[in-house]
């Protein structure tokens, strides 16, 4: 049996725009709460959310924003982010998500590459002075006509201009939209070369958010807490669209991730679903007063973004009451989710796999060298096909052709194994796989094992250059106690007899934190760069017998 499966479903795909879907939710759930911002205390019912979205949409039309024009948003999580997301969809503008961590040159690149004509931006966040960077960059961005800052008179002017556009004009505009129109550009992290703008349609992201919510059993009774960034698909698709397509409530705990603020929001807002990457859940569980929070309203949530250690998942299910928590796997280019665990899955499937294919999608596992589908149980590159695959990278046809083949399969770059029960396990990235002395080593396996060590709080395993073996293995460790980190000898002894000799880390690097992307993924490329510089000649020195 080969490694191919398609997602069968009795529930049809949605053939509507995001605006039409929101209108249906407003009509059906008008009096129910739709959006809560814990930081400001502001709240919207569905009727109020619909009215606010319409106001922003008409304001954008009054400013001359046409169908297909790009509107950038550069901000942490705020209610205005949500309003702009739905308002741009209503008028057929393309929302360009800008990473809140961008510095000036990255901002300039993204604005120019996508041709943003209007930018909605926070004035500042943490140590970043957005306004100063924008003003310094205006002369380098010829397409940028206008900048609007929520909380500033420019935002008030946008709203006041809505009165210039009557409702019939806005309705006519919406009627001319197609669900296949491009509606969103999301820039990939750009760990190699410049970031690429994954271009997504209404059909791509609305259906993906909807079916993720369907598999989680969402209804108007649910309240979804989103400490993950809206800039990323995790927040705006799996979160916002997953919620509004089911009449659920979006809860914003804070502008950016704060573990205590997140648990406080869960408790005070009686949240039923909590999202996060594994490092977020690790931080929440590690709070000194974790046991003081009442989290019994939780039943589900999503853990995604990077592989979750088994022990962390078990604690989330038991101590955070998230018995139905889902593991989701995907990438920005696939809207993002391709596979997901199910509500009634047993613990082994929740902790040992990334679930099975979503409805209406196809996945297969292929030999990276030949492209042929491998047998069940064999590792290869995971490929996805279906409604979720992006339209392409914005203005980059050659780069698009490198990842989407002639048959419309998206090549993920992830190494996976498809089991006999149709569930998939991710064993690593092709680029993260360590080849030591001819042996393929998958970091995930070693990380899972090392999470059991009593002195290890979190761990990432990387390959470092080595003259004799090509690569050697390094464990980058955040210790439980900073003053008592595990030594290389302790870790080697812990692994001996449990892991094959070539999988035992030769090096151990202790650190306070890992370099992260804004979406919460560990940047292994940065870890490898730091480690290679530090090791230098040491990595080419004497080697233990093996």
């Amino acid at each position: 049996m080969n490694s191919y499966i398609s997602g069968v479903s009795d529930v049809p795909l949605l053939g509507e725009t995001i605006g039409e879907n929101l209108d249906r939710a407003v009509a059906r759930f008008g009096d129910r709460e739709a959006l809560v911002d814990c930081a400001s205390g502001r709240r919207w019912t569905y009727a109020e959310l619909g009215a606010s979205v319409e106001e922003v949409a008409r304001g954008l039309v009054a400013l001359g924003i046409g169908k297909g024009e790009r509107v950038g948003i550069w901000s942490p999580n705020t209610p205005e982010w949500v309003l702009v997301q739905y308002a741009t969809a209503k008028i057929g503008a393309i929302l360009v998500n800008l990473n809140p961590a961008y510095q000036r040159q990255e901002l300039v690149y993204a604005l120019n590459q996508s041709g943003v004509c209007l930018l909605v931006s926070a004035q500042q966040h943490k140590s970043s002075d957005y306004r100063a960077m924008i003003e310094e960059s205006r002369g380098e961005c010829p397409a940028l006509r206008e900048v609007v800052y929520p909380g500033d008179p420019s935002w008030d002017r946008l709203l006041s201009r809505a009165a210039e556009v009557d409702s019939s004009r806005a309705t006519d505009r919406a009627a001319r939209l197609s669900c296949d129109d491009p509606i969103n550009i999301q820039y990939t992290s750009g760990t190699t070369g410049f970031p690429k703008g994954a271009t997504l349609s209404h059909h791509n992201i609305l259906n993906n958010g909807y079916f993720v919510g369907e598999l989680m059993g969402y209804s108007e009774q649910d309240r979804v807490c989103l400490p993950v960034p809206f800039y990323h698909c995790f927040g705006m698709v799996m979160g916002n669209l997953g919620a509004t397509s089911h009449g659920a409530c979006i809860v914003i705990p804070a502008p950016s991730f704060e573990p205590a603020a997140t648990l406080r929001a869960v408790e005070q807002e009686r949240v039923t679903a909590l999202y996060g990457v594994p490092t977020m859940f690790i931080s929440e569980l590690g709070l000194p007063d974790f046991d003081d929070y009442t989290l019994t309203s939780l039943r589900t949530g999503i853990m995604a973004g990077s592989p979750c250690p088994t022990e962390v998942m078990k604690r989330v299910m038991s101590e955070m009451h998230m018995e139905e928590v889902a593991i989701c796997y995907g990438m920005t280019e696939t809207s993002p989710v391709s596979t997901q665990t199910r509500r009634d899955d047993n613990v082994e499937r929740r902790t040992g796999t990334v679930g099975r294919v979503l409805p209406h999608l196809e996945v297969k596992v292929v030999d990276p060298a030949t492209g042929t589908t491998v047998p069940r149980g064999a590792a290869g590159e995971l490929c996805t096909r279906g409604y979720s695959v992006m339209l392409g990278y914005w203005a980059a046809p050659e780069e698009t052709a490198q990842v989407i083949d002639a048959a419309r399969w998206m090549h993920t770059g992830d190494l996976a194994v498809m089991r006999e029960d149709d569930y998939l396990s991710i064993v690593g990235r092709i680029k993260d796989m360590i080849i030591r002395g001819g042996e393929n080593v998958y970091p995930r396996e070693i990380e899972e094992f090392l999470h059991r060590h009593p002195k290890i709080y979190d761990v990432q395993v990387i390959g470092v250059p080595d003259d004799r073996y090509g690569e050697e293995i390094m464990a980058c460790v955040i210790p439980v106690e900073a003053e008592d980190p595990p030594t290389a000898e302790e870790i080697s002894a812990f692994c001996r007899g449990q892991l094959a000799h070539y999988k035992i880390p030769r090096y151990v690097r202790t650190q306070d934190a890992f370099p992260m992307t804004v979406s919460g993924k560990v940047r292994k490329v940065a870890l490898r760069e730091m480690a290679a510089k530090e090791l230098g000649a040491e990595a080419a020195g004497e080697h233990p017998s093996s």
Side-chain angles (χ1 to χ4, degrees), residues 362-485:
E362 301 170 89
V363 294
K364 66 177 179 177
V365 181
V366 304
D367 184 318
T370 66
T372 57
T373 306
V374 302
R376 297 286 176 109
E381 183 181 19
L382 182 61
C383 299
T384 302
R385 182 166 67 179
Y387 75 82
S388 68
V389 175
M390 66 175 179
L391 300 178
Y393 292 122
W394 183 263
E398 292 181 2
E399 287 87 346
T400 302
Q402 290 171 9
V403 295
I404 301 177
D405 65 26
R408 288 292 296 173
W409 285 101
M410 176 74 205
H411 290 252
T412 67
D414 284 320
L415 291 164
V417 173
M418 186 180 291
R419 310 191 320 183
E420 293 294 336
D421 61 2
D422 298 339
Y423 281 70
L424 288 118
S425 297
I426 303 298
V427 295
R429 290 285 291 168
I430 291 176
K431 65 183 180 183
D432 287 340
M433 185 177 71
I434 302 165
I435 304 177
R436 182 192 182 276
E439 298 279 3
N440 290 351
V441 178
Y442 302 114
R444 171 79 191 278
E445 178 188 3
I446 304 170
E447 291 163 357
E448 283 282 351
F449 179 75
L450 291 180
H451 262 281
R452 304 176 194 171
H453 194 290
K455 289 187 176 182
I456 291 177
Y457 177 71
D458 202 358
V459 59
Q460 295 291 321
V461 171
I462 59 173
V464 294
D466 185 85
D467 282 353
R468 180 174 175 183
Y469 293 110
E471 286 186 288
E472 263 291 4
I473 299 170
M474 171 181 281
C476 301
V477 171
I478 299 176
V480 172
E481 300 289 344
E483 63 275 8
D484 186 26

Side-chain angles (χ1 to χ4, degrees), residues 228 232 234 238 274-281 301-308 313 325-330 336-337 339 354 519-521:
V228 294
H232 192 265
F234 201 170
M238 300 151 72
L274 173 61
Y275 289 15
V277 297
T279 51
M280 291 180 176
F281 285 102
I302 296 177
M303 195 179 298
S306 60
C308 175
M313 172 57 79
V325 65
I327 288 283
C328 288
Y329 160 82
V337 181
T339 70
V354 291
S519 58
K521 295 181 182 180

Side-chain angles (χ1 to χ4, degrees), residues 216 218 222-228 234 238-239 249 251-253 257-259 261-267 270-277 280-282 284-285 290 295 297-304 316 320-322 324-326:
M216 298 178 72
Y218 278 169
D222 282 291
R223 300 173 69 79
V224 185
C225 183
L226 300 176
V228 294
F234 201 170
M238 300 151 72
C249 179
V251 176
I252 306 173
F257 175 63
E258 298 174 26
T262 300
L263 295 190
R264 188 161 56 247
V266 170
E267 179 178 69
R270 301 294 295 163
V271 163
T272 60
L274 173 61
Y275 289 15
V277 297
M280 291 180 176
F281 285 102
I282 289 169
E284 290 155 8
L285 289 163
F290 172 80
L295 308 177
S297 61
L298 286 171
R299 69 166 179 90
T300 189
I302 296 177
M303 195 179 298
V316 167
M320 299 183 77
H321 307 281
M322 295 169 59
E324 297 179 15
V325 65

Side-chain angles (χ1 to χ4, degrees), residues 107-128:
L107 171 70
V108 170
Y109 173 82
L111 292 177
N112 286 334
Q113 201 278 333
S114 59
V116 165
C117 63
L118 183 144
L119 176 62
V120 179
S121 175
Q123 298 187 59
Q124 61 182 39
H125 180 60
K126 294 184 176 178
S127 61
S128 293

